[in-house]
Amino acid sequence: MTQPRISVAEARQMLLAAMGDALPPATQRVALAQAVGRCLASDIKAPLDIPEADISAMDGVAFTAQQAGTKQPLRIVGKSLAGHPCTTPVATGEAVEIATGAWLPEGCDSVMPIEACRFDHQQVWLEQLPQVGRNVRRRAEVVARGAVVISAGECLDFRHIAMLAALGIEQVEVTRPLRIALFSSGDELSGSSASGSQQARFDANSPMLAALLQCWGVEVSVCGVLEDSPAAIAERLDAAAQHADMLITSGGISRGPHDYVRDVLAEHGIVPQRMAHKPGQALAFGRWQQVPLIALPGNPLAALGCCVQLVRPALTHLSGTADPMPTLAATLAVPVSGRAGRSELLLAHYWVNEEGRLYALPLAKQNSHQLDALLQASCLIELDEHTSRLSEGERVVIHPLVALSGGNHGQ
C-alpha cells in the first residue's frame, strides 16, 4: 500500500509538535570578538553617556557665541584636545583652540571651524557670524546613560559590536547556540567501513549542511558516516544524543532494501514520512533518547530543500529566537511551471534592480543531484502545492541562501 504524502505545512506542524517545547536558554559570557552572530541574552543598558560631555564637531576655536562677533578678535587662552581637555574656564572675549572630539571648556557654547578663522599671534578673528550651539555635539545626544541600546534576543553583528565597544563594554551575555550532531549514512561514502571500495564517494552532505547550519547560528558536530549496520547506527545515535540538542541525519531514509536508517528509526517509533515536495520527499522526525531528530534525504539538493523547509523552523522553535534568514517576496523575472499537488523549491538567483525592486530568476538546472547548479544559486523560489504556473512579473516567496549583496545583477 502506497504511503500517503503529507504537505509541507502538515510536515512542519507534525515536526514542531514532535520537537516539544523550546529548550531552556543557557547563556555564556563571551568577549566581543566571539559575540558576532550570537543572540544577546539580556538587554544592554548604556553605562555612560555618548558623548560624555559637549564636544566639538570640528577643528577650530571654541567660545561664547553671544559675546562674540566678526569685528573684534578673541584672545586665545588655551587648547582643548581629544583626551586632553582645557580645564581653564573661558571668559567673555576669550577662545580656545579645539580639536574634533575634544570637550568644550567651561564657558564655551559654540565652535568656529578653522577655515573660518584668521589667526594673528594669540588672537583670532571670526569670519562667519557666530551661532549658539554651532558645530557642537551635545552630551548624551547619541546615547544617554541607562538607556537600552540593544535588546535581548538581538543577533549581534558588526554594528552592535561598534556600539558596545564605544560604551566600553568588553564582554556580553549571550545565549548558548543549539548543539547539532550531524551524520551522513551509507557504506558507499568515503570515510565509512567500505571506504576502500573503488566505488566509494565523498560525502558532500555533511560539510554542506554543517556550513549552512553554522550560518544559522548553531554549533555543529560533524559525526561522520553511519555504517550500513542497524546496531552501529543505533549505537552512534545513542552516543550523540548524550551531548546534542538535536540529531540530524541525511540519507538511508527512502524505500530501498539497504536504507537502514529508516528501519532503525522505525524500530524506535520514529515513522518515516513522504512529503509532497520537490526536491526531497522521504524524511523522518521524532525524538531519539528524548532528543529531537530529523532524518533528511540523501541527494544533496533534496537534503538542502528539506533542511530549509523543516530544520530551520525547528531550530527557531527550539531556540525561541527569530528566523536567521526569513523569507522575502520577490518578482519573477521569467514564467515558471510547477506541479499542482506538491510544493517545490527552485534554485534561483535574486537581485535588486535600479528601482529597488527585488527580482528572482530560476536557474536552468534543478535536479536534486546537481551540486554545480547550487554554485549559481543565491535563493530558492517556493511554489506551493496549488501552483502549476506563474507568469513573469508575479510575486513569489523566496528563501535567501546568501545575503543580498545589492546592485543590479539581473540577466
Side-chain angles (χ1 to χ4, degrees), residues 137-390:
R137 296 170 182 161
R138 294 300 183 188
R139 177 173 184 165
E141 73 173 38
V142 176
V143 174
R145 181 192 297 266
V148 175
V149 290
I150 309 176
S151 299
E154 284 277 350
C155 187
L156 302 177
D157 59 30
F158 73 95
R159 302 166 302 160
H160 306 99
I161 301 303
M163 177 57 73
L164 293 168
L167 289 167
I169 296 173
E170 298 180 348
Q171 295 184 329
V172 289
E173 196 79 15
V174 295
T175 55
R176 177 181 62 74
L178 293 178
R179 296 170 299 195
I180 306 300
L182 180 64
F183 295 90
S184 291
S185 68
D187 281 351
E188 74 279 7
L189 297 179
S190 178
S192 72
S193 61
S195 60
S197 167
Q198 292 183 349
Q199 298 192 16
R201 293 185 288 117
F202 292 107
D203 175 21
N205 279 7
S206 284
M208 175 188 72
L209 294 175
L212 181 63
L213 291 166
Q214 287 167 351
C215 289
W216 294 346
V218 301
E219 181 181 303
V220 183
S221 295
V222 178
C223 300
V225 177
L226 296 172
E227 301 175 34
D228 287 343
S229 161
I233 291 170
E235 183 178 347
R236 297 277 302 281
L237 294 178
D238 282 345
Q242 304 303 310
H243 308 287
D245 298 312
M246 180 186 288
L247 309 176
I248 297 177
T249 69
S250 67
I253 196 64
S254 191
R255 303 184 194 178
H258 302 292
D259 285 329
Y260 296 106
V261 174
R262 173 204 61 199
D263 297 339
V264 171
L265 296 183
E267 290 175 2
H268 287 75
I270 301 175
V271 179
Q273 304 287 344
R274 294 182 68 238
M275 189 167 63
H277 181 263
K278 180 184 178 182
Q281 59 175 325
L283 69 152
F285 46 79
R287 298 179 77 85
W288 183 281
Q289 300 278 3
Q290 299 306 309
V291 176
L293 178 147
I294 302 177
L296 303 173
N299 276 326
L301 298 189
L304 171 65
C306 290
C307 196
V308 167
Q309 293 285 33
L310 298 177
V311 174
R312 191 167 67 186
L315 295 174
T316 299
H317 171 77
L318 286 177
S319 64
T321 59
D323 191 329
M325 196 168 282
T327 58
L328 301 172
T331 300
L332 269 177
V334 296
V336 298
S337 297
R339 181 187 297 177
R342 76 176 182 196
S343 300
E344 290 192 41
L345 290 176
L346 303 177
L347 291 170
H349 174 64
Y350 77 122
W351 73 95
V352 174
N353 70 357
E354 292 88 345
E355 291 78 35
R357 194 170 187 178
L358 194 66
Y359 277 85
L361 176 71
L363 305 184
K365 290 184 177 181
Q366 296 291 337
N367 291 327
S368 60
H369 67 286
Q370 291 179 309
L371 272 178
D372 58 331
L374 189 57
L375 293 174
Q376 309 304 317
S378 57
C379 74
L380 298 169
I381 295 174
E382 180 170 353
L383 306 180
D384 64 30
E385 63 268 27
H386 307 297
T387 300
S388 58
R389 181 172 176 81
L390 291 174

Side-chain angles (χ1 to χ4, degrees), residues 69-70 112-113 115-117 125-131 134-135:
T70 58
M112 187 66 68
E115 56 266 26
C117 298
W125 277 263
L126 307 180
E127 297 184 338
Q128 295 178 3
L129 190 65
Q131 297 177 7
R134 186 177 182 184
N135 299 317

